[in-house]
Amino acid sequence: MAKAKKITAALTAALLCTASLTACSDTSYVMTVGDSKINAGIYIYNELTEMSYQMTMMYYQKGIKKDYFDQKVDGKAFDEYLSDYALTATKEYAAVVDKFNELGLTLSDEDIKSINDSISSTWDSQGEFYESEGISKESVKLALKGSKMREELFDHYYAEGGEEAVSDDEMVKYLDDNYLRYKSISFAKTKASTDSSSSATDSSTDSADAANEEAKAKRDEFLEKAQGVSFDDFDRIIDEYNDYVASKKATNSSSATDSDSSASDSSTASDDTSSVSDIDTSSTASDDTSSVSDSTAGSSSASDSDSSTDSSSSEPDPYANEKMMNYGAMDDSQKDTANGKILKEVSGMSTDVATAYEDDNAYYILIKGDIKGRDAEYAKDNHEDLLKEMKSDEFQKKLTSWVEKLDIKVNNKAIKRYTPKVVYDKQTEYYSKNNNS
């Protein structure tokens, strides 16, 4: 009798599952929050967005173009990292919407219009792709609204008039405690060319050594001129350096032109090219200002451009030659990079003293400025970016606590269905199909 009841119960459960996909195998939602369901499309969108970002970083930082799932990110296998990221991001989305509504906040008509316009533009160009991934237009809209709500919540707490607003004095103190102000010029080192076995040839080594000796000598020449020069007046040294760079480039260009018209001059042009390697600015990130100041630890800076002058103004930017960098916020791994080591050198320097520095990339002249000479103005001109630097970690703690308070139940069937590898394979299939059509 008992056995018959168990069989009957099992059959009943099976019939219920067959009759109701929602109850047993619905993967249209990725989690429930109380009585509400969160679309699986939001989870896939988070997964896809982060996957694209990380693959781009792998290419630019390591030259990786394939075998992405053989890589690790933050110490995790790529697929595990993406799954964890997407799940966390989706939970945070739910927490943001919940807290936003709890506080009675609303998005402005302008915000809604901007989101709708963005979606319309995205769907015109990528709608078919998103749908192939199982992401609906509505899911993208919800995700974008969630991002805007997150920004509004941040401002609700920390912007002017917010519950925990940051004062001007607090921001200036943060700058004084964490930022470095400096200027630099650099003379790039020449690396010896290699043969087919990746070994440097004797002739290329000799040529590189000669070029580097010349670069170092030129750096020392400019360093001598900079002795006793203040941080502000160092602009004069930079101007002279830029004139030197322009002159060398013009000479090199002229020599290269001559070599095109005379075979006998070709070796001379080649020699000239290697002799001006000290002005090669390929080791710095900025195209227009790399001959003046190196881009260091850009992610730690409130602004990539330190200009506080309106670009439409005819007035010259008094800060065009300097960098303001958040050295205090860098972790050990960032400080161990070439840029981090430059900042460490600057950190230990006295102000208004031009100092020689060298790494594997170049010979430098560095000069440190007094952060207090610009802190209030910089804080005013870069208020929003600095606010994020100061309070992002604190806001993240709030967000994590909001997530923990929610009644979230994850739909594991959906998680297992929409794996990073599945998302990647669909993307590959879509673009392969459409690129060949």
Side-chain angles (χ1 to χ4, degrees):
M1 186 70 174
K3 184 176 181 180
K5 286 184 177 180
K6 288 182 179 179
I7 292 173
T8 301
L11 289 171
T12 301
L15 288 170
L16 286 172
C17 277
T18 301
S20 176
L21 289 175
T22 300
C24 297
S25 60
D26 186 0
T27 56
S28 65
Y29 69 98
V30 74
M31 64 182 66
T32 59
V33 182
D35 296 330
S36 301
K37 293 180 178 179
I38 305 298
N39 293 351
I42 296 174
Y43 173 84
I44 303 169
Y45 178 82
N46 289 330
E47 199 169 36
L48 179 65
T49 302
E50 182 66 8
M51 180 171 67
S52 298
Y53 170 76
Q54 291 297 338
M55 286 164 56
T56 300
M57 290 299 99
M58 287 179 191
Y59 172 73
Y60 282 110
Q61 295 176 355
K62 301 177 182 179
I64 295 172
K65 300 179 182 179
K66 59 181 181 178
D67 299 329
Y68 301 108
F69 286 86
D70 292 337
Q71 310 305 315
K72 287 190 174 183
V73 178
D74 290 350
K76 297 180 179 179
F78 190 40
D79 57 348
E80 180 186 2
Y81 167 82
L82 290 174
S83 294
D84 290 348
Y85 174 89
L87 187 59
T88 298
T90 307
K91 288 180 178 180
E92 290 181 352
Y93 159 81
V96 162
V97 174
D98 181 76
K99 179 58 69 170
F100 191 84
N101 292 332
E102 176 189 319
L103 294 173
L105 303 177
T106 58
L107 296 179
S108 67
D109 291 341
E110 183 179 351
D111 290 334
I112 297 297
K113 182 180 184 304
S114 176
I115 290 170
N116 288 335
D117 289 346
S118 178
I119 292 172
S120 294
S121 176
T122 297
W123 226 252
D124 286 343
S125 60
Q126 292 184 287
E128 186 178 336
F129 165 64
Y130 279 123
E131 288 174 348
S132 75
E133 288 281 8
I135 304 171
S136 68
K137 181 185 285 190
E138 180 62 18
S139 289
V140 176
K141 182 176 182 178
L142 290 173
L144 294 182
K145 286 179 69 175
S147 295
K148 187 61 184 176
M149 288 178 181
R150 184 170 179 150
E151 292 177 13
E152 293 297 316
L153 279 170
F154 183 90
D155 289 345
H156 171 81
Y157 287 101
Y158 305 117
E160 184 177 358
E163 290 186 14
E164 303 168 31
V166 176
S167 69
D168 292 340
D169 288 343
E170 288 176 306
M171 190 166 285
V172 167
K173 185 178 186 305
Y174 175 81
L175 277 168
D176 292 345
D177 291 345
N178 292 279
Y179 269 64
L180 295 174
R181 181 186 183 194
Y182 78 103
K183 298 174 183 176
S184 71
I185 57 179
S186 63
F187 301 79
K189 289 185 176 180
T190 299
K191 292 180 172 57
S193 58
T194 59
D195 58 21
S196 58
S197 64
S198 298
S199 299
T201 61
D202 291 341
S203 60
S204 68
T205 298
D206 291 343
S207 177
D209 288 346
N212 288 335
E213 287 179 10
E214 181 181 346
K216 184 176 183 297
K218 184 58 66 174
R219 188 278 307 272
D220 292 344
E221 178 185 324
F222 274 87
L223 180 63
E224 182 65 26
K225 295 177 181 180
Q227 295 308 301
V229 174
S230 69
F231 179 76
D232 289 340
D233 289 342
F234 191 74
D235 285 348
R236 173 171 55 81
I237 303 299
I238 291 174
D239 289 342
E240 186 175 342
Y241 170 80
N242 286 336
D243 289 342
Y244 161 75
V245 170
S247 175
K248 279 292 187 180
K249 285 185 176 179
T251 299
N252 183 54
S253 177
S254 176
S255 297
T257 300
D258 290 342
S259 70
D260 290 337
S261 60
S262 174
S264 62
D265 292 337
S266 61
S267 61
T268 302
S270 177
D271 291 341
D272 286 346
T273 300
S274 63
S275 69
V276 298
S277 61
D278 54 312
I279 64 164
D280 180 5
T281 58
S282 60
S283 64
T284 56
S286 172
D287 291 332
D288 294 330
T289 62
S290 57
S291 61
V292 175
S293 60
D294 303 293
S295 175
T296 58
S299 61
S300 298
S301 173
S303 174
D304 290 335
S305 171
D306 294 324
S307 171
S308 60
T309 304
D310 190 324
S311 61
S312 64
S313 172
S314 59
E315 292 294 322
D317 178 7
Y319 306 118
N321 292 332
E322 69 179 67
K323 285 288 181 182
M324 294 276 284
M325 306 305 301
N326 192 346
Y327 180 64
M330 295 175 72
D331 59 29
D332 289 342
S333 63
Q334 291 172 318
K335 289 180 180 179
D336 197 41
T337 63
N339 288 332
K341 290 175 181 178
I342 290 175
L343 292 180
K344 181 179 180 180
E345 180 73 13
V346 173
S347 177
M349 289 166 47
S350 299
T351 57
D352 295 301
V353 178
T355 303
Y357 176 73
E358 174 187 350
D359 61 17
D360 291 340
N361 299 315
Y363 302 98
Y364 302 86
I365 300 175
L366 308 172
I367 188 166
K368 182 180 180 180
D370 184 0
I371 191 70
K372 293 181 182 294
R374 192 185 171 190
D375 53 6
E377 182 179 358
Y378 189 85
K380 179 182 177 181
D381 293 337
N382 298 276
H383 183 86
E384 290 187 12
D385 290 331
L386 282 169
L387 193 59
K388 288 183 175 68
E389 285 186 15
M390 292 176 68
K391 292 299 182 178
S392 287
D393 289 345
E394 185 177 310
F395 181 72
Q396 182 60 48
K397 290 178 181 178
K398 288 182 184 291
L399 183 49
T400 299
S401 71
W402 300 339
V403 170
E404 292 171 350
K405 292 176 183 177
L406 292 180
D407 177 25
I408 296 176
K409 291 183 175 61
V410 176
N411 181 0
N412 289 315
K413 286 186 174 65
I415 300 296
K416 290 178 181 178
R417 178 179 178 182
Y418 306 115
T419 66
K421 192 65 169 63
V422 167
V423 172
Y424 175 78
D425 287 344
K426 284 186 177 181
Q427 175 180 266
T428 302
E429 180 183 357
Y430 176 83
Y431 284 114
S432 177
K433 177 183 175 181
N434 284 272
N435 286 340
N436 293 328
S437 60

